[in-house]
Amino acid sequence: MKTLRSIDDLEAAALLEDGATPELEAVAARYAVAITPAISALIRQGAPGIAAQFLPDARELVTMPAENPDPIGDHSHSPVKGLVHRYPDRVLIKALHACPVYCRFCFRREMVGPNGDGMLDDAELEMIFDYIAAHPGIFEVIVTGGDPLMLSARRIGAMGERLARIPHVKLMRWHSRVPMVAPERVTAEMVRALAIPGRAVSIAIHANHRSEFTPAAEAAIACLADAGLVLLGQTVLLKGVNAETETLAALFRAMVANRIRPLYLHHPDLAPGTSHFRLGIAEGQAIYGRLRGRLSGPAIPAYVLDLPGGHGKVPIGPDSLRQGPEGLEIRDPSGIWRAYPG
């Protein structure tokens, strides 16, 4: 089987409803389409939470006034092509524009795909490494894209080794959906390339639904974990996919059972054509708040929002502290406010 990259491919694979083609052709002309064999199989099986993430939807043609092609301000914080320096102690390298799949809610959807920002060449990467070397406050380097695990093992290893030669870079983090959507790419050679002696290396794995944890995905994750790589989980809160407390609880339990520490639950960004995935922050806070008491602490990520304009990531979980009529009150895991004599 091959990756499906066009509306014709999706029709031939019987993944689309009859009569949907004209509008979806317009969607595909604007936002890249790619569905791997692993994801095609889940869609055919009717696995919950999958089709809406990856199949193009006519609602993507609707752009709301607040939506922005660069919703979290990558471009305004890019001192060198392919580098984002938003926080003092870390930078982000957008190594390439390609992904194994193109998520319909992607906040970089205007920058990835065949018409995206492109792949960095060796000279451009060297300019990035020079910038990092010249800024000793940079402790962590995050490699993203696109999806950096679409690079060859040789190129992954070369990037890791080059960063390891910069003394003040102590932590490397690779952001990827590959283990979930194209697990066959996680080879022994790739795992060896990711593990850099003397440096802490983490892999942030993006998963949005328990259904994504197929046997093949779990085997790929185990290869990474067995090599000593720290695995972190990233999830986007999506209407029609996972915006229910029990759905999220099942996802986060699957993560910790597979040695992934849930790190962030992202509120959806204001990317063009994604309003059908977004719920209100208050609704998200209510869903997230009900996770307390259902899950242990290591299974609960931080609920965060990336502020538009590049102003950074902020926690938006529900408040658990308030001033009551007789002093402080604390909300317990069941949601009841309790007086606190402090």
Side-chain angles (χ1 to χ4, degrees), residues 300-340:
I300 303 178
Y303 181 32
V304 297
L305 171 70
D306 248 315
L307 289 170
H311 300 294
K313 194 180 282 93
V314 294
I316 55 171
D319 291 334
S320 296
L321 175 69
R322 73 181 184 186
Q323 186 67 41
E326 299 181 6
L328 287 177
E329 294 180 344
I330 312 292
R331 181 160 42 193
D332 73 13
S334 64
I336 298 172
W337 290 95
R338 309 287 185 181
Y340 179 73

Side-chain angles (χ1 to χ4, degrees), residues 30-31 57-64 67 271-276:
R30 180 167 184 186
Y31 304 117
D57 188 307
R59 290 174 291 182
E60 295 176 57
L61 298 174
V62 178
T63 300
M64 304 302 287
E67 293 176 343
T274 63
S275 62
H276 54 291

Side-chain angles (χ1 to χ4, degrees), residues 13-164:
L15 297 185
L16 297 179
E17 296 179 2
D18 292 340
T21 303
E23 285 184 305
L24 296 187
E25 290 284 7
V27 173
R30 180 167 184 186
Y31 304 117
V33 173
I35 298 179
T36 58
I39 295 302
S40 296
L42 288 175
I43 295 172
R44 289 192 187 90
Q45 294 163 18
I50 302 299
Q53 293 189 61
F54 303 107
L55 287 177
D57 188 307
R59 290 174 291 182
E60 295 176 57
L61 298 174
V62 178
T63 300
M64 304 302 287
E67 293 176 343
N68 188 319
D70 184 16
I72 67 168
D74 277 358
H75 291 155
S76 60
H77 290 80
S78 183
V80 177
K81 181 182 176 181
L83 183 84
V84 179
H85 194 175
R86 184 177 292 112
Y87 302 100
D89 70 336
R90 79 212 79 146
V91 294
L92 183 149
I93 300 174
K94 295 191 291 184
L96 75 170
H97 70 288
C99 297
V101 294
Y102 292 106
C103 304
R104 310 322 302 172
F105 51 86
C106 179
F107 70 99
R108 290 199 177 105
R109 59 193 335 222
E110 302 274 9
M111 308 173 199
V112 298
N115 299 317
D117 286 353
M119 182 171 174
L120 299 175
D121 61 30
D122 289 343
E124 290 165 339
L125 276 172
E126 198 57 38
M127 289 180 66
I128 287 174
F129 298 140
D130 288 344
Y131 178 93
I132 294 170
H135 290 76
I138 296 172
F139 177 83
E140 179 180 15
V141 174
I142 301 163
V143 188
T144 181
D147 193 314
L149 297 196
M150 292 293 284
L151 296 169
S152 68
R154 180 195 62 78
R155 197 163 180 84
I156 288 169
M159 287 184 66
E161 290 167 6
R162 179 67 177 83
L163 288 168

Side-chain angles (χ1 to χ4, degrees), residues 68-324:
N68 188 319
D70 184 16
I72 67 168
D74 277 358
H75 291 155
S76 60
H77 290 80
S78 183
V80 177
K81 181 182 176 181
L83 183 84
V84 179
H85 194 175
R86 184 177 292 112
Y87 302 100
D89 70 336
R90 79 212 79 146
V91 294
L92 183 149
I93 300 174
K94 295 191 291 184
L96 75 170
H97 70 288
C99 297
V101 294
Y102 292 106
C103 304
R104 310 322 302 172
F105 51 86
C106 179
F107 70 99
R108 290 199 177 105
R109 59 193 335 222
E110 302 274 9
M111 308 173 199
V112 298
N115 299 317
D117 286 353
M119 182 171 174
L120 299 175
D121 61 30
D122 289 343
E124 290 165 339
L125 276 172
E126 198 57 38
M127 289 180 66
I128 287 174
F129 298 140
D130 288 344
Y131 178 93
I132 294 170
H135 290 76
I138 296 172
F139 177 83
E140 179 180 15
V141 174
I142 301 163
V143 188
T144 181
D147 193 314
L149 297 196
M150 292 293 284
L151 296 169
S152 68
R154 180 195 62 78
R155 197 163 180 84
I156 288 169
M159 287 184 66
E161 290 167 6
R162 179 67 177 83
L163 288 168
R165 295 201 297 271
I166 302 174
H168 52 268
V169 173
K170 302 297 184 183
L171 178 59
M172 303 174 203
R173 192 195 323 171
W174 299 76
H175 284 198
S176 182
R177 289 213 85 170
V178 160
M180 313 308 297
V181 303
E184 69 281 357
R185 288 192 60 85
V186 181
T187 63
E189 184 183 12
M190 175 182 284
V191 173
R192 285 194 298 270
L194 287 164
I196 303 296
R199 289 291 183 270
V201 181
S202 59
I203 313 295
I205 297 173
H206 179 172
N208 295 322
H209 199 280
R210 174 66 182 86
S211 298
E212 296 171 47
F213 284 81
T214 63
E218 292 186 334
I221 293 165
C223 288
L224 296 166
D226 289 345
L229 296 161
V230 175
L231 305 184
L232 306 171
Q234 295 211 93
T235 297
V236 183
L237 182 62
L238 299 167
K239 187 186 296 183
V241 174
N242 60 16
E244 297 175 345
T245 299
E246 289 306 324
T247 302
L248 289 175
L251 168 63
F252 299 142
R253 288 190 188 105
M255 284 188 179
V256 295
N258 284 278
R259 293 178 280 177
I260 300 171
R261 168 67 167 93
L263 179 64
Y264 290 132
L265 173 63
H266 294 272
H267 194 79
D269 295 309
L270 294 169
T274 63
S275 62
H276 54 291
F277 286 113
R278 285 197 301 275
L279 63 168
I281 287 178
E283 185 181 355
Q285 288 175 323
I287 293 168
Y288 177 80
R290 290 191 289 270
L291 290 172
R292 295 176 64 243
R294 283 175 167 82
L295 295 173
S296 64
I300 303 178
Y303 181 32
V304 297
L305 171 70
D306 248 315
L307 289 170
H311 300 294
K313 194 180 282 93
V314 294
I316 55 171
D319 291 334
S320 296
L321 175 69
R322 73 181 184 186
Q323 186 67 41

